[in-house]
Amino acid sequence: MTDHRGPRRRGQGELEVQVLAALREADGPATAGWVRQRLGGDLAYTTVITILTRLLAKGAVTRERAGRSFAWTPASDGAGLAARKMRKVLDAEQDREAVLASFVTALEPGDERLLRDLLERAKGEGED
């Protein structure tokens, strides 16, 4: 039996994750062409540019002129990107206290301890 389905569609945001991963593997700023090759070359160049432009609008990458095009760099690591997403969700809510309380009460005990430790450390650094 032959499978007549076309190529698998990527999930929402999957391309962004792949492009960011490719940029993190680069030794420095990378062009869209380099990113395209790193991802296997099956994407259209314009698709890579579109993804990079969306990531730029989200603050996930930066760019600098490189001749007639741009060289792209991730704005932060994976943890920084996740933190930015969390902050964006929090900023979109009117009742920040309720959102944070719900978040904290849903944490696993180890994560709750870690968060408490991080808050204490941040508080201690602020007293210098």
Side-chain angles (χ1 to χ4, degrees):
M1 188 155 106
T2 306
D3 186 353
H4 294 287
R5 290 179 288 177
R8 180 185 73 81
R9 284 199 51 108
R10 292 176 175 90
Q12 183 178 3
E14 189 176 343
L15 268 179
E16 290 181 0
V17 169
Q18 291 174 350
V19 167
L20 279 171
L23 286 174
R24 284 190 197 102
E25 293 172 3
D27 291 333
T31 64
W34 184 92
V35 171
R36 181 176 178 266
Q37 283 182 325
R38 188 73 182 169
L39 296 178
D42 64 331
L43 293 174
Y45 179 82
T46 55
T47 300
V48 175
I49 290 292
T50 298
I51 297 301
L52 287 166
T53 303
R54 287 181 185 164
L55 289 169
L56 179 67
K58 293 178 179 182
V61 299
T62 60
R63 69 181 183 186
E64 59 188 53
R65 272 274 175 215
R68 292 181 12 188
S69 62
F70 292 100
W72 305 81
T73 306
S76 62
D77 60 7
L81 185 58
R84 183 177 284 118
K85 288 178 186 178
M86 292 167 64
R87 178 64 186 258
K88 187 175 180 182
V89 169
L90 183 61
D91 288 345
E93 296 298 324
Q94 289 188 3
D95 190 348
R96 295 172 74 89
E97 183 176 347
V99 172
L100 286 170
S102 180
F103 177 75
V104 169
T105 58
L107 291 174
E108 297 290 324
D111 290 336
E112 185 177 342
R113 272 190 304 279
L114 176 59
L115 182 58
R116 288 181 193 281
D117 291 346
L118 291 169
L119 289 170
E120 280 300 314
R121 192 178 319 151
K123 189 168 102 176
E125 291 173 2
E127 294 174 356
D128 289 344

